[in-house]
Amino acid sequence: METGYVNVAEIFGENVFNDSVMQARLPKKVYKKLKQVVEEGRELDLETADVVAHEMKEWAIEKGATHYTHWFQPLTGVTAEKHDSFITAPTANGKVLMSFSGKELIKGEPDASSFPSGGLRATFEARGYTAWDCTSPAFVRQDAAGATLCIPTAFCSYTGDALDQKTPLLRSMEAINEQSLRLLKVFGNTTSKKVTPSVGPEQEYFIVDRQKYLQRKDLIFTGRTLFGAMPPKGQEMEDHYFGAIRERIAAFMRDVNEELWKLGVTAKTQHNEVAPAQHELAPIYAEANVAVDHNQLAMETLKKVAGRHGLQCLLHEKPFAGVNGSGKHNNWSITTDDGINMLDPGRTPHENVQFLLVLTCILKAVDRHADLLRESAADVGNDHRLGANEAPPAIVSIYVGEQLQDVLSQLISTGAATHSIAGQKLETGVRTLPDFMKDATDRNRTSPFAFTGNKFEFRMVGSQDSVAQPNVVLNTIVAEAFSEACDVLEQAEDFEVAVHDLIKKYATEHQRIVFNGNGYSEEWVEEAEKRGLPNIKSMVDAIPALNTEKAVRLFEKFKVFTKAELDSRVEIEYETYAKEINIEAKAMIDIATKQIIPAVIHYTTVLAESINAVKAACEADVSAQTEILTEVSALLAEARKALKKLQEVTGSAATIPEGREQAVYYRDVVKAAMDGLRAPVDQLEMLVDKAMWPMPSYGDLIFEV
Ligand code: ADP
Ligand code: MG
């Protein structure tokens, strides 16, 4: 193992065509033009693009690149790319040149027909377009394929409909930019020119040994174990969380960090998580679209580097039943170009008023669109976490902490807040609103949406999901609340009175969304129901939130999605759900038929032979062997029956109309049949000779990495 010294500052961003590279390599005029385009969101002209493309190519070739690719994020959950080499047609003397034009940089035309479009793209018009997102820098990725210049792009249909995660994200960033600037302006800010949502996604994952992984067809096909009895020791000792990182994992993490740093990803924090073999990686927060791209790179890098270390990275939300699952905490704030974090309680009473308005606008946004936020975190794997007695609950609520809660309560009951429980001196100059201190209250780990001092932490997102959609929703719903507040404040005769009244109104009308208690408790479920908060337990039930009248109005108003785009996403999500459960069911059938049942039969044969052999040899008591044989045989019969049932219901799925109906069928009928098969098989695993069991156990997988 190489233990050489790494100069982080030197390698950081070395494979990124970032600002300093552009400044150094591009002619001054071109550099200025490009900066302008990035900052003001204008269109890049072909002449400038040609110069940028040429320099980008030269730089990439110096890094060993032979190919370039438009790197995009279709609605499959993973990134897609199609590689083209830089070579041109051979000249008369048989030599090739390396070329890359501005047109190739800014626009690509992948065949869109193999990506999900939910009916947006008629098959006769299969063309799709990728367009350079020049706000996310290009990079060179080095791997077994050599080096490839990757150009982050958005992906649209021929008619301009978004077929990806990035297009709506960029649109939502524009929406929140515009409405935040309006809000700042009514508070007298004339200096801020741009407001950007910042995102820091904390990534959880599992690491297992690759040789063992390869013996588990369920992990290979579905990313999670479909069978598996609990090991004698689980996570009850809590000795893994923040524990010392084992050598093998440490070496892997070191490599991951190095790779990510080279790509300009600010890998910052790493630690062991709650479950054995579970870990976390967090970057330093970045602009939302860059953070989304970087999170995709982080997930790809975790998988790739794990392979090199003889390990396998599992990004599934619930690789092991009964063991803590993995999520992705989406830390979100909104920051101006001159460094003001709008979620930071300020130092002056004036800043505090603005903060309170922002806060209560967010209460309103989340309360009104709790269903959309819940939907943004819905994926098939996440159903095993949200609403399944695991963190966090499926009910969206906001944690604001004791101090803020106290201020809100005073506002609601008396219309003024005159004191603050953290005990600091009150600034009573303006409208009797108190001064705040950051981190005046304890942290709450059970809330799905927690205020953590100067940002919100949305904890529902699944570990393998893109963080794009949660941020699209957050940006847009908050933009809407800001816009409605500005509609009032811009017309107000007495600004101070108006803003005070709005804060009080929002705090009062939306207090039901605030919950500071234990989000995992049964009492909360009952309480939330009394408050009328939605408790959406499955992805299938979350999907309709995407194109309700309320959602269509919201997204169309801020030009984030058209109704057609929303309808298409609904269709894609139902389809994805049905497809994924279908794969799981088929994988179970395959594994049970070809591996587990034969292994159990083998064991019963050995048992029966041993009974006969003992009987023939002596008068010894064989009741123990007989008992085991009887028990195993009974479970085998049960498993066989359950297998038949699963085959039958999976086979019938095709007869159910596609879309919602089929998805509901998979959830209610197929999943139940899967559980029916798993139960006897897991019991068998506890009885059958370990040497004969056809795959590594949970214990082998999570304790012996
Ligand atoms: P913890 O696990 O204690 O919640 P971590 O340090 O693991 O905290 O992760 C916190 C994440 O929040 C990091 O990615 C960090 O960069 C990000 N973050 C910090 N401040 C902000 C902010 N103002 N806006 C958005 N994200 C932030
Ligand atoms: Mg963390």
Side-chain angles (χ1 to χ4, degrees):
M1 188 177 39
E2 192 214 341
T3 52
Y5 163 79
V6 180
N7 186 333
V8 183
E10 209 164 277
I11 64 165
F12 188 83
E14 74 173 24
N15 289 343
V16 186
F17 195 70
N18 57 21
D19 193 64
S20 57
V21 176
M22 290 196 275
Q23 198 164 4
R25 300 188 74 122
L26 295 175
K28 241 199 195 106
K29 232 178 76 193
V30 174
Y31 171 75
K32 259 176 91 178
K33 190 77 170 274
L34 185 62
K35 279 290 268 189
Q36 221 174 14
V37 165
V38 172
E39 273 157 23
E40 294 165 21
R42 293 218 231 122
E43 220 168 294
L44 193 64
D45 62 275
L46 211 53
E47 202 184 322
T48 313
D50 271 331
V51 182
V52 177
H54 175 78
E55 277 311 321
M56 207 185 255
K57 176 204 73 187
E58 292 295 303
W59 168 83
I61 288 173
E62 282 167 31
K63 303 261 164 217
T66 52
H67 289 68
Y68 74 91
T69 179
H70 276 199
W71 187 72
F72 59 103
Q73 296 166 37
L75 298 169
T76 51
V78 289
T79 57
E81 46 196 80
K82 173 183 143 228
H83 297 189
D84 281 301
S85 78
F86 290 120
I87 62 166
T88 56
T91 53
N93 63 6
K95 296 265 181 225
V96 292
L97 294 172
M98 299 290 262
S99 100
F100 185 46
S101 70
K103 197 166 158 271
E104 287 167 311
L105 166 65
I106 54 183
K107 195 167 149 198
E109 286 189 30
D111 179 359
S113 58
S114 359
F115 296 105
S117 78
L120 271 181
R121 174 198 34 72
T123 26
F124 59 84
E125 188 38 274
R127 235 177 321 165
Y129 290 107
T130 49
W132 183 30
D133 165 21
C134 50
T135 57
S136 182
F139 56 91
V140 166
R141 193 184 49 203
Q142 285 151 330
D143 54 25
T148 309
L149 169 66
C150 299
I151 301 150
T153 52
F155 180 44
C156 294
S157 76
Y158 179 66
T159 46
D161 294 309
L163 296 176
D164 69 344
Q165 309 268 18
K166 173 161 268 184
T167 309
L169 179 66
L170 293 173
R171 294 174 184 162
S172 74
M173 288 171 71
E174 195 38 53
I176 193 141
N177 171 45
E178 211 172 291
Q179 301 309 323
S180 301
L181 285 175
R182 255 180 97 190
L183 188 123
L184 288 167
K185 203 164 154 219
V186 295
F187 277 90
N189 178 327
T190 52
T191 49
S192 301
K193 299 219 156 36
K194 193 174 171 190
V195 177
T196 324
S198 300
V199 172
E202 301 164 57
Q203 177 73 48
E204 291 180 339
Y205 60 92
F206 277 85
I207 289 291
V208 297
D209 181 86
R210 185 157 166 84
Q211 285 313 314
K212 291 185 185 135
Y213 163 85
L214 289 173
Q215 294 167 50
R216 299 268 335 196
K217 296 248 182 288
D218 46 5
L219 283 179
I220 293 172
F221 290 129
T222 72
R224 75 179 182 105
T225 53
L226 300 168
F227 298 104
M230 280 301 286
K233 178 185 171 184
Q235 66 200 48
E236 60 272 36
M237 303 299 288
E238 294 183 340
D239 49 0
H240 189 254
Y241 192 53
F242 281 20
I245 297 171
R246 277 158 297 170
E247 282 274 297
R248 195 173 176 199
I249 302 295
F252 152 78
M253 285 179 169
R254 176 178 179 273
D255 256 12
V256 167
N257 287 333
E258 210 175 306
E259 289 263 326
L260 288 176
W261 289 332
K262 284 186 193 168
L263 292 170
V265 179
T266 53
K268 169 87 175 165
T269 308
Q270 60 197 25
H271 58 77
N272 288 352
E273 261 301 327
V274 178
Q278 192 185 28
H279 309 277
E280 182 186 293
L281 168 73
I284 298 173
Y285 64 93
E287 287 191 10
N289 68 322
V290 173
V292 168
D293 286 356
H294 282 182
N295 182 246
Q296 292 289 350
L297 282 178
M299 290 195 284
E300 283 172 20
T301 305
L302 283 168
K303 284 201 219 159
K304 193 171 74 183
V305 174
R308 266 191 237 145
H309 285 252
L311 299 165
Q312 182 72 33
C313 174
L314 305 178
L315 290 171
H316 193 282
E317 285 78 10
K318 195 73 175 176
F320 307 100
V323 177
N324 203 55
S326 297
K328 184 140 54 192
H329 293 178
N330 187 81
N331 293 273
W332 177 90
S333 67
I334 23 183
T335 326
T336 68
D337 55 335
D338 47 357
I340 305 164
N341 176 357
M342 292 172 74
L343 291 181
D344 209 339
R347 249 165 283 144
T348 66
H350 165 82
E351 287 170 328
N352 277 335
V353 180
Q354 183 183 307
F355 168 72
L356 270 186
L357 180 67
V358 169
L359 178 77
T360 49
C361 277
I362 294 175
L363 298 188
K364 175 181 167 183
V366 173
D367 185 25
R368 188 193 269 173
H369 298 293
D371 58 339
L372 269 180
L373 261 184
R374 164 66 182 87
E375 200 291 324
S376 78
D379 76 12
V380 185
N382 221 11
D383 271 10
H384 297 279
R385 296 173 68 236
L386 307 177
N389 298 321
E390 179 166 334
I395 308 161
V396 175
S397 66
I398 303 185
Y399 170 85
V400 295
E402 208 184 345
Q403 188 196 23
L404 274 181
Q405 178 56 56
D406 177 58
V407 170
L408 291 175
S409 304
Q410 292 178 57
L411 274 167
I412 293 164
S413 59
T414 66
T418 51
H419 60 274
S420 171
I421 54 171
Q424 69 275 51
K425 197 174 169 291
L426 283 187
E427 293 273 4
T428 48
V430 177
R431 289 286 155 194
T432 59
L433 292 170
D435 211 9
F436 303 111
M437 264 182 23
K438 256 204 301 199
D439 292 337
T441 41
D442 204 8
R443 313 236 291 175
N444 172 307
R445 292 246 157 235
T446 65
S447 174
F449 198 83
F451 183 67
T452 47
N454 62 355
K455 59 181 161 62
F456 274 100
E457 189 171 338
F458 181 43
R459 301 183 176 135
M460 278 185 163
V461 190
S463 49
Q464 62 184 333
D465 215 359
S466 161
V467 280
Q469 184 64 5
N471 289 298
V472 168
V473 171
L474 267 173
N475 295 341
T476 317
I477 65 177
V478 174
E480 180 192 51
F482 283 0
S483 136
E484 286 168 357
C486 291
D487 288 345
V488 175
L489 296 176
E490 282 164 356
Q491 306 301 322
E493 278 173 20
D494 184 335
F495 176 75
E496 269 185 28
V497 173
V499 74
H500 177 271
D501 289 352
L502 264 192
I503 292 170
K504 185 179 172 215
K505 180 172 146 61
Y506 293 164
T508 310
E509 286 176 2
H510 302 284
Q511 56 180 313
R512 67 168 187 171
I513 195 72
V514 179
F515 178 65
N516 296 303
N518 178 6
Y520 299 171
S521 68
E522 204 35 57
E523 294 85 70
W524 170 230
V525 176
E526 285 164 30
E527 165 73 18
E529 198 180 331
K530 274 191 215 132
R531 294 190 191 184
L533 298 176
N535 182 0
I536 304 168
K537 290 199 174 132
S538 75
M539 170 169 172
V540 172
D541 288 337
I543 297 170
L546 259 181
N547 63 350
T548 57
E549 228 174 274
K550 169 174 76 88
V552 173
R553 219 180 315 122
L554 166 81
F555 287 123
E556 289 205 325
K557 178 170 178 189
F558 294 97
K559 301 191 168 53
V560 172
F561 287 117
T562 61
K563 177 161 190 312
E565 286 171 336
L566 290 168
D567 291 344
S568 83
R569 269 154 217 252
V570 166
E571 202 177 300
I572 292 169
E573 296 219 353
Y574 283 133
E575 206 179 292
T576 304
Y577 187 87
K579 268 191 198 154
E580 282 191 29
I581 303 291
N582 184 50
I583 293 171
E584 289 192 351
K586 287 203 309 209
M588 267 191 127
I589 292 168
D590 192 73
I591 295 164
T593 311
K594 297 192 195 140
Q595 292 186 279
I596 292 169
I597 290 182
V600 178
I601 291 176
H602 178 50
Y603 182 54
T604 53
T605 311
V606 170
L607 267 177
E609 279 169 0
S610 117
I611 293 168
N612 288 337
V614 173
K615 271 190 188 160
C618 63
E619 294 288 297
D621 177 8
V622 289
S623 63
Q625 292 95 313
T626 312
E627 245 173 66
I628 299 172
L629 182 57
T630 311
E631 203 179 332
V632 171
S633 301
L635 284 167
L636 176 63
E638 198 185 321
R640 171 94 183 108
K641 205 170 136 213
L643 172 63
K644 274 191 173 158
K645 172 89 187 155
L646 180 60
Q647 277 168 323
E648 185 193 305
V649 299
T650 310
S652 308
T655 63
I656 315 277
E658 279 177 20
R660 177 162 181 85
E661 208 176 320
Q662 201 176 63
V664 168
Y665 177 84
Y666 272 104
R667 183 195 60 190
D668 295 345
V669 181
V670 178
K671 277 188 93 173
M674 286 166 63
D675 293 343
L677 174 57
R678 179 170 182 153
V681 169
D682 287 358
Q683 271 175 282
L684 281 166
E685 189 186 341
M686 303 299 284
L687 292 170
V688 172
D689 183 350
K690 183 165 170 56
M692 292 182 196
W693 197 252
M695 62 194 84
S697 68
Y698 270 25
D700 301 335
L701 285 164
I702 59 181
F703 285 106
E704 294 170 25
V705 190

